Amino acid sequence: AGRWEPPAPQPGAPRQALEEQYSPSRWSPRLGSDTVIQAHVAATAAGTQRARASTDTALHVPYGDGEREKLDIYFPPDPSGTFPVLVYIHGGYWQDLSKEESGFAAPPLVSRGVAVVAVGYDTAPKGHMDAMVLQVRRSLAFLVRRYTGISGVFLCGHSAGAHLAAMVLSTDWSQYGAVPNIRGAVLVSGVYDLEPILHTYVNDALSMSREVAQRNSPMLHVTSAAPAAASCEVLVVVAQHDSPEFRRQSQEYGQALRAAGWSVSVLDLAGVDHFDIIERLSEESYILTQV
């Protein structure tokens, strides 16, 4: 988890100011920079273990040949009929975490008849941005081909995972042999314009060029809401204690989607930071779980 955060910035340089904005743990009032990341990994891993112990699961289901091209599926009590599925795409700045810490939201949703799927993908430095986007798109096409009982797909991504989920919304599905019925997307504390990332420590592992960043910035690829997308509700979620840059990106991406005809709501959650905003999806009473 150390790669998430650079050394403490020295005052003055523009890059250092930008790195401050794109270092989510520096903005948490709960815990110190290193501690909040350690707590996040511990909380999501423990929640995932509880979910695996209490839920009917199919773990490590391959959607491709790659080592990380696997899904963890948490089934509702009666999976014989049709059911909606929440597809969770983890964060970690495209270089940390995995599906092994990504099942924590399953128990309250599974109990309501919703399947939860945690997507694995190749993180940097092995994975590069084009490949990650392609993997997440392929995972969805595989999922709806494999499980014909899915009544609708709801995307949920956190941080870097919100970026990947947003890229799914601009997919030309004619190349994938299946068209997922995406009914909703919950984009939590995401990055939707990758250009600022080029100028921070985050790109040390990603090695993105400007062309790669532009090709994979959801903000630059907002498609007009086609008839199929008209029934897709997008919820852009941001934390009170996200940095001003994260908050700006969420607001501007929501505005861009709305201008293109998408059904969009922006939810600004008080009293949470970049990490517990998603950790608390393990709680049935949490506002975002309820939504």
Side-chain angles (χ1 to χ4, degrees):
R3 292 197 302 275
W4 265 353
E5 300 301 322
Q10 302 302 310
R15 172 173 167 133
Q16 288 156 348
L18 202 59
E19 290 196 339
E20 177 87 9
Q21 289 287 324
Y22 285 94
S23 300
S25 66
R26 297 227 179 109
W27 299 83
S28 172
R30 292 183 298 136
L31 297 164
S33 185
D34 291 335
T35 313
V36 76
I37 290 176
Q38 294 165 0
H40 178 64
V41 175
T44 53
T48 299
Q49 290 306 311
R50 287 193 296 271
R52 288 180 172 185
S54 63
T55 309
D56 181 18
T57 59
L59 302 178
H60 320 305
V61 177
Y63 65 85
D65 297 328
E67 181 184 354
R68 284 205 171 195
E69 293 184 346
K70 295 180 172 65
L71 306 174
D72 285 349
I73 304 173
Y74 301 80
F75 290 104
D78 181 14
S80 58
T82 60
F83 52 87
V85 60
L86 182 89
V87 177
Y88 181 76
I89 306 167
H90 70 80
Y93 254 160
W94 306 278
Q95 55 197 290
D96 284 303
L97 297 179
S98 70
K99 69 177 180 59
E100 304 307 310
E101 303 88 17
S102 299
F104 56 92
L109 296 169
V110 163
S111 70
R112 299 296 183 92
V114 180
V116 174
V117 174
V119 179
Y121 58 90
D122 283 323
T123 49
K126 179 182 179 182
H128 54 86
M129 191 60 70
D130 289 323
M132 291 183 232
V133 171
L134 179 62
Q135 285 176 321
V136 171
R137 289 168 168 168
R138 283 175 37 232
S139 75
L140 283 168
F142 165 84
L143 187 67
V144 297
R145 285 197 305 266
R146 172 76 176 268
Y147 298 99
T148 56
I150 294 174
S151 60
V153 174
F154 295 82
L155 304 172
C156 180
H158 172 238
S159 197
H163 157 267
L164 294 170
M167 285 299 293
V168 169
L169 298 181
S170 66
T171 304
D172 175 3
W173 291 106
S174 65
Q175 304 172 47
Y176 294 87
V179 182
N181 177 20
I182 299 175
R183 302 278 306 282
V186 183
L187 310 176
V188 184
S189 294
V191 176
Y192 309 104
D193 175 5
L194 299 185
E195 199 275 338
I197 296 292
L198 295 173
H199 311 289
T200 72
Y201 70 96
V202 181
N203 201 40
D204 294 347
L206 295 169
S207 301
M208 286 189 295
S209 65
R210 177 165 272 100
E211 180 186 21
V212 169
Q214 291 175 345
R215 186 162 63 235
N216 293 288
S217 287
M219 191 73 184
L220 302 180
H221 300 282
V222 174
T223 56
S224 295
S231 62
C232 175
E233 294 185 52
V234 181
L235 183 64
V236 180
V237 190
V238 66
Q240 177 184 352
H241 300 297
D242 269 320
S243 75
E245 269 292 280
F246 270 83
R247 292 173 58 80
R248 175 191 67 80
Q249 287 226 15
S250 291
Q251 292 288 344
E252 292 185 2
Y253 183 59
Q255 290 166 0
L257 284 173
R258 192 174 291 117
W262 290 75
S263 174
V264 183
S265 303
V266 176
L267 184 59
D268 191 337
L269 288 184
V272 290
D273 60 34
H274 188 82
F275 302 96
D276 60 349
I277 190 174
I278 198 74
E279 293 165 11
R280 293 186 61 194
L281 275 181
S282 62
E283 303 169 15
E284 187 160 357
S285 60
Y286 179 46
I287 181 173
L288 194 53
T289 314
Q290 292 293 317
V291 172

